[in-house]
Amino acid sequence: MEYENILFEMKKEHVALITVNRPKALNALNDDVLKELNQAFDEIEADKNILGLIITGAGRSFVAGADLAQLRDYGPEENRANAGLAQDTFTRLENLPLPTIAAVNGFALGGGNELAMSCDIRIASEKAKFGQPEASLGVPPCFGGTQRLPRLVGYGMAKEMIYTGRMVRAEEAKEIGLVNKVVEPEELLSAAEVMMDQIIGKSPRGIRYSKLILNETVDMSLAEGLEFEKNISAICYGLPDKKEGFHAFLEKRDPVYEMKRPE
């Protein structure tokens, strides 16, 4: 499939790489970018050989926010449609049936921070900066920032970041739980690949169903979450990966899993 605003490629076997590719606009998100992300997600979901996804940005920005040139003359209904497209896209990313890593190379502001937060794991360059500056423009975050940010950093810090709009540097982002790891700029993609290799080296079913439990139980009570965990675990105990994993461990050998993504 042809893309104009993103690059979609296989970085290595089983690992796809999406690069938001509007460097002159600091990779700002417009409707075309969001639609192309959904097209890429279609390709990923259709290809069971893809076991992991890394997302990054071209040039000096990850994604510097929504495209204000597109939004400038929007009224309530246009905003509702645009926010709905972005929220649906990011929720789809969040629920892709495979692990995702945001390799944040530069500015991750507004919609860029919201895109990064929709990935399972965030690795940041030392040059990365994060923020939700929408209040300075007279609006709240609307691509999921008011919901995902407090779940990652806590409500007090989320309110501070949203109310002040200040940019958070990579090291502080790690301290508050917004990113998992900070690396030197030239090591960013390789660090993301190394971590993804560690993940996809495990059982594809073990990863898939762990992600399902984590995502589905985030808003459940503890009792409901435990019940869901127990039920999904029981399903996994009847699948081939469990047999291979246990036998390999007891036989002191590396397990050999089918490198296909389960449903």
Side-chain angles (χ1 to χ4, degrees):
M1 188 171 293
E2 296 294 324
Y3 295 97
E4 296 182 1
N5 299 284
I6 68 171
L7 303 175
F8 177 59
E9 58 189 308
M10 292 303 296
K11 184 65 177 173
K12 57 197 309 184
E13 188 178 14
H14 302 301
V15 179
L17 174 66
I18 291 176
T19 305
V20 183
N21 190 35
R22 300 184 69 213
K24 292 183 179 179
L26 297 179
N27 301 325
L29 296 174
N30 58 21
D31 284 357
D32 291 336
V33 176
L34 294 169
K35 290 174 182 177
E36 289 189 14
L37 286 173
N38 276 288
Q39 291 171 2
F41 298 159
D42 288 340
E43 290 197 54
I44 290 168
E45 289 180 331
D47 188 346
K48 303 303 181 185
N49 291 306
I50 299 177
L51 300 179
L53 170 63
I54 298 171
I55 298 182
T56 193
R60 63 190 183 93
S61 179
F62 177 71
V63 168
D67 191 334
L68 298 188
Q70 175 184 296
L71 304 182
R72 177 178 52 202
D73 297 322
Y74 273 15
E77 291 310 310
E78 293 91 347
N79 168 256
R80 185 182 298 275
N82 174 252
L85 173 61
Q87 288 183 0
D88 290 347
T89 301
F90 293 173
T91 297
R92 187 177 181 193
L93 169 61
E94 186 174 54
N95 291 319
L96 283 177
L98 74 171
T100 57
I101 296 177
V104 183
N105 52 303
F107 295 112
L109 305 176
N113 192 40
E114 290 162 317
L115 173 62
M117 290 190 294
S118 302
C119 292
D120 296 317
I121 294 167
R122 285 151 296 284
I123 299 178
S125 157
E126 291 174 340
K127 294 183 177 180
K129 295 180 180 179
F130 301 81
Q132 300 289 159
E134 290 89 346
S136 63
L137 301 173
V139 295
C142 62
F143 290 2
T146 65
Q147 302 307 301
R148 291 189 176 93
L149 187 59
R151 285 169 165 81
L152 286 170
V153 304
Y155 273 88
M157 180 57 70
K159 288 178 178 179
E160 177 190 330
M161 288 180 64
I162 291 170
Y163 295 173
T164 67
R166 71 180 180 90
M167 287 192 289
V168 173
R169 295 181 180 274
E171 284 296 341
E172 183 182 357
K174 183 175 184 296
E175 290 174 2
I176 63 176
L178 185 55
V179 304
N180 301 76
K181 187 175 184 179
V182 178
V183 298
E184 295 181 4
E186 62 272 16
E187 296 177 358
L188 179 61
L189 274 182
S190 62
E193 290 175 30
V194 167
M195 184 176 290
M196 187 61 78
D197 286 344
Q198 292 174 337
I199 293 170
I200 66 175
K202 305 296 187 292
S203 154
R205 289 182 174 88
I207 298 299
R208 171 71 188 102
Y209 290 112
S210 293
K211 177 169 181 172
L212 177 66
I213 294 168
L214 288 163
N215 282 6
E216 291 295 323
T217 60
V218 65
D219 292 321
M220 291 183 184
S221 69
L222 177 60
E224 291 169 331
L226 290 171
E227 184 69 16
F228 190 87
E229 177 188 81
K230 179 176 65 179
N231 291 335
I232 298 301
S233 175
I235 292 171
C236 291
Y237 265 67
L239 298 176
D241 284 14
K242 179 266 174 183
K243 182 177 180 180
E244 171 61 13
F246 276 59
H247 278 263
F249 180 83
L250 294 172
E251 294 165 10
K252 296 181 171 56
R253 61 175 174 83
D254 292 332
V256 179
Y257 298 113
E258 182 185 18
M259 296 302 283
K260 293 277 188 180
R261 192 174 70 245
E263 296 294 339

